[in-house]
Amino acid sequence: LGALNGAQSVGLAAVFAISLARRRHWRSLAVLATTAALCGYPALVHNLVRGGDAVFSHVGGGMILWASNNPGANGRHKPPAYIRRNPSTEVPDYTAEASRALGRPVRPSEASAYFRDLAVAHWKCDPARALRLAVTKLGLLWNAYEYPDNYDYNVLAQLLPALSLPLPGWGLVVPISLLRFALALAPARPRAPR
């Protein structure tokens, strides 16, 4: 699932890879690289078969970035009006809009790059607003309520009883994750000879 999550998972894997390399844990680094490749392989095959595009993770990173950083964004996932709020139509809708804007047919990865570039240009145009949006998103991350994207978690919990279990929330997951992240970035301590 992490491979389908795209840039976030690749970014975390990169942090851990750097940490392992700094500590000269070559075997662990090889395991991490192999695992990442094996996890990404199904996404690569899917993207080649369905979209004719060699993308190693989820193709929509730029699209998601634009959905939460466009002129109408409020900190939550808020795609523009030309995007239908249905997971099965989002990538085709973004691809059609990018094709229209660029005046030629584009692959989903090209559409994602187009929307990534739009988001970055929007940040550069109004950095103060981009910073306010980032602060708002950080506040939403720490919030106990998860705002719905396409599906409302509370509705899904009614349909899938396992989601009604007392699963750990952000209040537990985020501090543990931040601690592990800090430990991964900490300077390597010399190891005692064996």
Side-chain angles (χ1 to χ4, degrees), residues 62 65-66 110-123:
L65 191 63
W66 178 243
E110 293 173 298
S112 186
Y114 168 77
F115 285 105
R116 179 204 58 223
D117 293 347
L118 274 183
V120 170
H122 186 63
W123 290 339

Side-chain angles (χ1 to χ4, degrees), residues 20-133:
L20 291 170
R22 286 176 55 210
R23 290 178 168 86
R24 301 183 193 282
H25 293 178
W26 306 119
R27 254 189 231 138
S28 297
L29 183 60
V31 168
L32 175 65
T34 302
T35 303
L38 289 173
C39 289
Y41 183 72
L44 174 66
V45 170
H46 170 82
N47 290 333
L48 275 170
V49 170
R50 292 291 307 266
D53 220 350
V55 178
F56 197 62
S57 66
H58 185 278
V59 75
M63 300 166 190
I64 294 166
L65 191 63
W66 178 243
S68 59
N69 291 282
N70 63 65
N74 62 6
R76 300 189 309 210
H77 181 76
K78 187 176 180 187
Y82 48 82
I83 304 301
R84 293 170 283 174
R85 291 190 71 133
N86 180 326
S88 65
T89 60
E90 285 179 339
V91 170
D93 287 352
Y94 276 110
T95 302
E97 178 60 22
S99 295
R100 185 200 63 73
L102 295 171
R104 61 179 176 81
V106 298
R107 295 186 319 266
S109 62
E110 293 173 298
S112 186
Y114 168 77
F115 285 105
R116 179 204 58 223
D117 293 347
L118 274 183
V120 170
H122 186 63
W123 290 339
K124 288 179 180 177
C125 179
D126 193 351
R129 182 172 189 281
L131 183 61
R132 284 192 307 274
L133 267 176

Side-chain angles (χ1 to χ4, degrees), residues 12 15-16 19 22-23 174-188:
L12 284 175
V15 167
F16 290 123
S19 175
R22 286 176 55 210
R23 290 178 168 86
V174 170
I176 291 172
S177 300
L178 290 175
L179 175 63
R180 181 60 191 117
F181 186 73
L183 290 173
L185 295 177

